[in-house]
Amino acid sequence: MKITEEKLGEHERVAFISDAGSGLKAIIAVHSTALGPAAGGCRVWAYASQQDALGDVLKLSQGMSYKNAMAGLHLGGGKAVILGPIDEAKRRDVFRAFGAAIEMLGGAYITAEDVGVRVADMQAVAEETAFVTGVTAAKGIGGDPSPYTARGVLQGIKAAVRHKFGHDDLSGLRIAVQGLGNVGGNLCQLLVQEDAELFITDIDTARVAAIEARTGAAPFALDALNTLQTDVFAPCALGGVVTEHFAQTVNVPIIAGGANNQLLTPAAGDILHARRILYAPDYVINAGGIVVVDAEYRGDSDIDGILSKVDAIGARVSQLFDESEHADQPTYVLADQAARAKISAAQHAAKALEAAQ
Ligand code: NAI
């Protein structure tokens, strides 16, 4: 196993890992440990280049710092990417090697599931390190975080609908979901229970067919996002869906979904604000999963308390919508400011403590 480390920009540590035996190639980015150990999921993706993978992990790990701060968790922000595709015959070895690399970071980074990663993978990681969560629901809650991510997203959608339409009854509302994996699939299930009228798309046509059969949702073409005429668009695939062009042309009043890094550029968020399209900042609305993996990691088994923390996402998103209206500032700007303020308060407190010792 070879690990080389760099300090890049405002990231505290970036570790490049390769393991010839399993074929593992990964990057772990620790953005900030000001609020606690850097926690964030591990993504497996077939990146076009190592540079693309690095760009993704740097952006995602910063998002985790902000997400964990806004969710009120004692966790910093980190993320890992494994450069796919993985040799399926060696999958367990790959994740064990990944676990060994995390162990070598000595607790600076705690991992869990993200895109392309399953509970069984985290169980393989747990054979090598204790700095892992999303492993088991032995205490009644935990394991796969995505149902809780979807639960929080539902609360955020309701908050947005309440803000725009004055009620949070989703029955009959037209909601489009892009990306029907762990988060999107669970979200569709919840939306159907709320009697919403569902529209779905995914690059994986088998997933579209399965959700169509299960929920009666209407599929739409991948390239029809700009011409959607729904009440809500819920991005639940990968990042960057809200480009400046998309923000300028999309015809939906609300964008609220589970994907990370939805805005390709800050300017895209500014355009949404100028057009009075309500945007629920991604890392605020999609924090349900990390709330539960944090609880699992701490051994918290107060299920009602944990679920009410997930449901509090609705109130947090509502507050941002109100502040955005009063201050005439985009929601993403206000969320970034609030998250940075929490992180720098922790940094100042740590410095003051150090100075006092
Ligand atoms: P997943 O891998 O289970 O699902 C992703 C889905 O998106 C797949 O069905 C894939 O085919 C589809 N997809 C990819 N590119 C697409 C495109 N261009 N157009 C349409 N569909 C596309 O991943 P998961 O876990 O559901 O995560 C989805 C998003 O939510 C990611 O951005 C992830 O970072 C974010 N997220 C996930 C959390 C979790 O609890 N799993 C927690 C917080 C955020």
Side-chain angles (χ1 to χ4, degrees):
M1 167 106 57
K2 189 172 156 229
I3 303 189
T4 52
E5 277 204 46
E6 280 181 39
K7 158 109 191 55
L8 286 178
E10 64 172 37
H11 286 71
E12 292 178 13
R13 295 168 81 169
V14 181
F16 297 83
I17 298 139
S18 61
D19 176 57
S22 62
L24 170 72
K25 275 201 170 58
I27 309 174
I28 297 176
V30 172
H31 175 257
S32 166
T33 53
L35 288 167
C42 166
R43 173 174 292 191
V44 174
W45 195 252
Y47 292 97
S49 67
Q50 165 140 330
Q51 209 50 35
D52 282 5
L54 179 62
D56 205 27
V57 77
L58 293 179
K59 211 167 163 185
L60 287 164
S61 54
Q62 183 197 51
M64 286 310 302
S65 288
Y66 291 5
K67 183 185 310 200
N68 295 338
M70 288 299 277
L73 304 175
H74 297 293
L75 293 173
K79 199 88 182 183
V81 293
I82 293 180
L83 285 72
I86 291 177
D87 177 353
E88 283 303 318
K90 291 189 172 172
R91 193 169 178 104
R92 186 162 161 266
D93 296 339
V94 166
F95 278 94
R96 285 192 62 179
F98 176 60
I102 291 172
E103 182 66 18
M104 286 184 211
L105 295 184
Y109 169 67
I110 301 167
T111 200
E113 294 87 347
D114 190 58
V115 172
V117 173
R118 313 188 269 266
V119 173
D121 301 326
M122 290 299 110
Q123 288 165 344
V125 171
E127 291 176 34
E128 301 294 331
T129 185
F131 303 120
V132 53
T133 177
V135 177
T136 169
K139 296 208 167 173
I141 196 160
D144 175 11
S146 60
Y148 306 101
T149 305
R151 181 179 171 124
V153 171
L154 178 71
Q155 297 306 325
I157 290 176
K158 285 188 172 181
V161 167
R162 201 180 310 118
H163 191 87
K164 263 287 179 212
F165 306 128
H167 66 81
D168 63 7
D169 179 5
L170 304 187
S171 64
L173 277 194
R174 295 156 63 87
I175 302 184
V177 180
Q178 178 211 33
L180 307 172
N182 292 318
V183 176
N186 279 298
L187 180 64
C188 285
Q189 209 60 44
L190 296 176
L191 291 171
V192 161
Q193 285 163 17
E194 299 278 335
D195 284 330
E197 193 182 343
L198 263 190
F199 299 84
I200 53 172
T201 195
D202 196 297
I203 48 175
D204 182 339
T205 50
R207 285 194 170 161
V208 176
I211 299 225
E212 180 186 8
R214 201 171 341 126
T215 65
F220 65 94
L222 285 167
D223 59 5
L225 283 178
N226 287 69
T227 52
L228 279 177
Q229 299 252 337
T230 54
D231 299 297
V232 179
F233 169 47
C236 295
L238 298 191
V241 63
V242 184
T243 60
E244 289 164 38
H245 174 70
F246 180 80
Q248 244 142 17
T249 50
V250 70
N251 212 358
V252 296
I254 293 170
I255 298 180
N260 279 312
N261 295 339
Q262 291 170 32
L263 302 177
L264 186 64
T265 59
D270 298 339
I271 296 167
L272 292 180
H273 178 69
R275 294 187 63 215
R276 296 291 175 251
I277 294 173
L278 207 52
Y279 167 65
D282 43 17
Y283 60 78
V284 182
I285 190 173
N286 72 13
I290 193 76
V291 165
V292 172
V293 296
D294 169 62
E296 178 188 326
Y297 191 71
R298 289 182 295 103
D300 185 352
S301 53
D302 170 13
I303 296 180
D304 290 342
I306 298 163
L307 292 180
S308 67
K309 250 180 151 174
V310 173
D311 292 342
I313 286 171
R316 208 167 296 127
V317 170
S318 279
Q319 192 184 338
L320 283 168
F321 293 149
D322 290 343
E323 285 172 9
S324 164
E325 206 167 285
H326 292 138
D328 194 15
Q329 291 253 25
T331 50
Y332 85 89
V333 170
L334 296 170
D336 283 4
Q337 281 170 357
R340 281 200 211 102
K342 282 173 193 261
I343 293 166
S344 71
Q347 282 163 338
H348 284 120
K351 273 192 192 134
L353 193 67
E354 213 176 282
Q357 278 167 356

